[in-house]
Amino acid sequence: MFTSPKKKKIVLVSLLVALFITAFFSLFSGQIDIPLRNALALLAYQLNIPGISNSDFTQEQLAVVWYIRMPRMLVGLLVGASLGISGAVMQGIFANPLADPGIIGVSSGAAAGAVLSIALGFSAQNMFMMPAFAFCGSLFAVSLTVFLARKNGRIPVMTLLLAGVAVGMLLGAITSGLLTFMNEQKLQQYLFWIIGGLDYRRWEHVYIAIVPVTIGIVTMLALARHLNILVLGDTEAKAVGMPVMFYRMGLLVVAAMTTATSVCVSGNIGFVGLVVPHMMRMLIGPDHRMLLPASAMLGAMFLLLCDALGRVIIPPAEIRVGIMTAVLGSPYFLYLLRKMQKDTL
């Protein structure tokens, strides 16, 4: 593990460079081969950089790169960063490396909201109805979890965890019940969403996610020092005059809402918020001032890489990013679980 502040900064800079390279790889990979020179020319043209004309690329290349791959890459960047940093915050709050952003019912609430929009036929009327229902479902799940865990003005971490599990099971049962009354077409629509993917993302999805995700990430980064104190325990935090409940619930709500926004635009993508923060914690240590930005960058990089690989592994077919993250993330999760078992012996 790196302990030197200088080495930690080197890791952060390296992650930033690697993220930039991965973003370009994601932008230029796909079934349609576009020369790098043409792709750079059309990006410069769209950004109004002088000296570039629309004769340096074709309209087909413009449509593929700017209207298909660019919003897909940006959504992946936002979703991956939000899941990575939210996972690090959740693991810090619960003091458990196996915690992830969906631990308090965010994902199950989003799934229930999505299937409800499909069952009622709203998703067929407007492309934004399903994301809106998914987001409202996440809000409902988090609110219900907090309400059930609250006792005498306090919310014990273990009670919150158990309440999240109970709410997740309840909403999962509701989702399953709604699915039994759906026809085959609606079932396929729900399955397509629940797997999680970045395909068919448009600029409208970027506009939906960019403001709340950016605000959530900036807020969590600003509260990294307070999270360090919370990890020490309630007694130590109160000894330095910190209002424990205020900051714990604030971080929890911000992480949950950031995750909910990501889920509503990309579907349910697992393992990013689970494995990425733990990998970074092993590399640079538990200081959340370094861990949170590192988790955000690695989360974005991991999701973009999974999406790009899913497009090029078995052309012309495409493996959805939710499947790729599970395939690549589950072996590490099993390793982590096995390691924890050995440490407790």
Side-chain angles (χ1 to χ4, degrees), residues 77-97:
L77 188 72
L78 292 168
V79 171
S82 67
L83 292 178
I85 192 172
S86 297
V89 170
M90 290 290 185
Q91 291 175 10
I93 292 175
F94 290 100
N96 188 338

Side-chain angles (χ1 to χ4, degrees), residues 11-313:
V11 172
L12 292 180
V13 173
S14 300
L15 283 173
L16 184 60
V17 173
L19 176 58
F20 185 78
I21 295 173
T22 306
F24 264 84
F25 175 66
S26 174
L27 191 60
F28 301 135
S29 62
Q31 304 303 320
I32 300 178
D33 186 25
I34 299 177
L36 180 60
R37 178 180 178 181
N38 296 55
L40 293 176
L42 70 88
L43 287 177
Y45 179 79
Q46 289 296 110
L47 296 175
N48 296 321
I49 296 178
I52 304 295
S53 66
N54 56 8
S55 62
D56 296 324
F57 52 86
T58 66
Q59 291 302 308
E60 180 188 21
Q61 292 172 343
L62 174 65
V64 169
V65 174
W66 189 256
Y67 294 105
I68 297 178
R69 293 181 183 173
M70 178 63 81
R72 179 172 184 160
M73 184 270 289
L74 291 176
V75 170
L77 188 72
L78 292 168
V79 171
S82 67
L83 292 178
I85 192 172
S86 297
V89 170
M90 290 290 185
Q91 291 175 10
I93 292 175
F94 290 100
N96 188 338
L98 297 182
D100 73 346
I103 200 169
I104 57 173
V106 175
S107 299
S108 56
V115 75
L116 183 62
S117 71
I118 296 172
L120 297 177
F122 292 136
S123 61
Q125 300 176 9
N126 191 297
M127 63 174 290
F128 299 112
M129 292 304 294
M130 188 189 296
F133 269 74
F135 184 77
C136 292
S138 297
L139 288 180
F140 172 77
V142 173
S143 301
L144 182 59
T145 299
V146 173
F147 173 77
L148 293 175
R150 188 178 180 88
K151 182 179 180 181
N152 298 327
R154 297 179 64 253
I155 303 179
V157 173
M158 186 55 64
T159 306
L160 185 67
L161 177 62
L162 295 175
V165 173
V167 169
M169 294 178 65
L170 172 63
L171 293 175
I174 293 174
T175 300
S176 299
L178 290 173
L179 289 174
T180 60
F181 296 99
M182 288 186 178
N183 56 37
E184 183 177 351
Q185 182 180 2
K186 290 183 177 180
L187 283 174
Q188 290 178 348
Q189 186 180 357
Y190 174 74
L191 180 63
F192 189 76
W193 179 85
I194 197 63
I195 292 176
L198 302 178
D199 44 338
Y200 304 108
R201 300 305 92 180
R202 292 163 43 177
W203 282 104
E204 288 84 351
H205 294 94
V206 179
Y207 301 148
I208 290 175
I210 189 169
V211 173
V213 168
T214 301
I215 293 175
I217 290 176
V218 171
T219 302
M220 285 183 277
L221 290 175
L223 296 177
R225 184 177 65 87
H226 299 84
L227 183 57
N228 282 340
I229 301 175
L230 286 175
V231 172
L232 298 176
D234 290 2
T235 303
E236 290 77 3
K238 291 178 180 178
V240 298
M242 174 183 288
V244 175
M245 184 60 62
F246 174 79
Y247 281 104
R248 176 176 290 153
M249 290 308 303
L251 280 165
L252 190 67
V253 169
V254 171
M257 295 304 99
T258 306
T259 302
T261 303
S262 300
V263 172
C264 83
V265 297
S266 66
N268 192 11
I269 298 177
F271 287 99
V272 178
L274 177 63
V275 302
V276 166
H278 189 74
M279 292 173 63
M280 284 292 93
R281 190 178 292 105
M282 294 177 63
L283 183 62
I284 64 175
D287 185 354
H288 289 90
R289 292 174 297 179
M290 292 289 184
L291 180 61
L292 295 190
S295 297
M297 287 188 284
L298 184 61
M301 186 170 63
F302 178 63
L303 193 61
L304 290 177
L305 184 61
C306 287
D307 182 51
L309 291 177
R311 281 181 272 166
V312 300
I313 288 180

